[in-house]
């Protein structure tokens, strides 16, 4: 079993930056961040693959950066130039297939809330 816990969510203004953190009981392969906007499905915004390459959703490409600290067992999502549409709940996940959906990840956190005001 892997326990995941997100933190770092906050209310910010458009254009500002925010870093989300995910603490893991152990850091395993295939890590990802998912975003769920109010009334919408949960979608992957960034994924870090087995070979440490990263994939981003088109909507966050160039603005978000996913990284990990294996020693600290932490996963991060650095978000910059935030937009109101980035608002919602962000979840970290681990142990899923390449470009997997939320339900395909074996381990999933409870989420942290981000609100971006215009």
């Amino acid at each position: 079993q892997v326990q995941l816990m997100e933190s770092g969510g906050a209310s910010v203004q458009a254009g500002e930056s925010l870093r989300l953190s995910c603490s893991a009981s152990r850091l395993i392969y295939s890590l990802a961040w998912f975003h769920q906007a109010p009334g919408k499905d949960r979608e992957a915004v960034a994924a870090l693959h087995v070979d440490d390459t990263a994939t981003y959703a088109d909507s966050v490409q160039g603005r978000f950066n996913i990284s990990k600290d294996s020693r600290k067992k932490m996963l991060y999502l650095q978000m910059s130039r935030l937009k109101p549409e980035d608002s919602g709940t962000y979840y970290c996940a681990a142990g899923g297939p390449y470009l997997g959906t939320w339900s395909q990840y074996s381990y999933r956190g409870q989420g942290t809330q981000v609100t971006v005001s215009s």
Side-chain angles (χ1 to χ4, degrees), residues 57-100:
D58 290 343
S59 60
V60 306
Q61 182 74 46
R63 299 189 298 120
F64 288 15
N65 184 68
I66 186 172
S67 64
K68 68 178 181 181
D69 185 326
S70 297
R71 185 177 63 84
K72 295 181 179 179
K73 294 182 286 186
M74 295 291 292
L75 177 69
Y76 302 104
L77 184 68
Q78 179 67 47
M79 307 185 292
S80 60
R81 302 196 306 278
L82 283 161
K83 304 175 181 180
E85 52 263 42
D86 295 323
S87 297
T89 306
Y90 285 78
Y91 304 85
C92 64
Y98 177 72
L99 299 179

Side-chain angles (χ1 to χ4, degrees), residues 9-52:
S11 294
V12 297
Q13 295 292 314
E16 293 184 341
S17 298
L18 195 62
R19 188 177 81 160
L20 304 182
S21 300
C22 175
S23 173
S25 57
R26 59 189 180 98
L27 215 52
I28 63 173
Y29 63 93
S30 192
L31 305 163
W33 284 97
F34 284 78
H35 169 232
Q36 186 169 28
K40 296 189 177 181
D41 292 335
R42 214 163 302 190
E43 297 181 331
V45 292
L48 194 61
H49 308 300
V50 175
D51 60 357
D52 282 346

Side-chain angles (χ1 to χ4, degrees), residues 92-113:
C92 64
Y98 177 72
L99 299 179
T101 62
W102 174 252
S103 62
Q104 292 177 305
Y105 277 79
S106 299
Y107 308 103
R108 296 168 282 183
Q110 296 299 308
T112 186
Q113 183 70 31

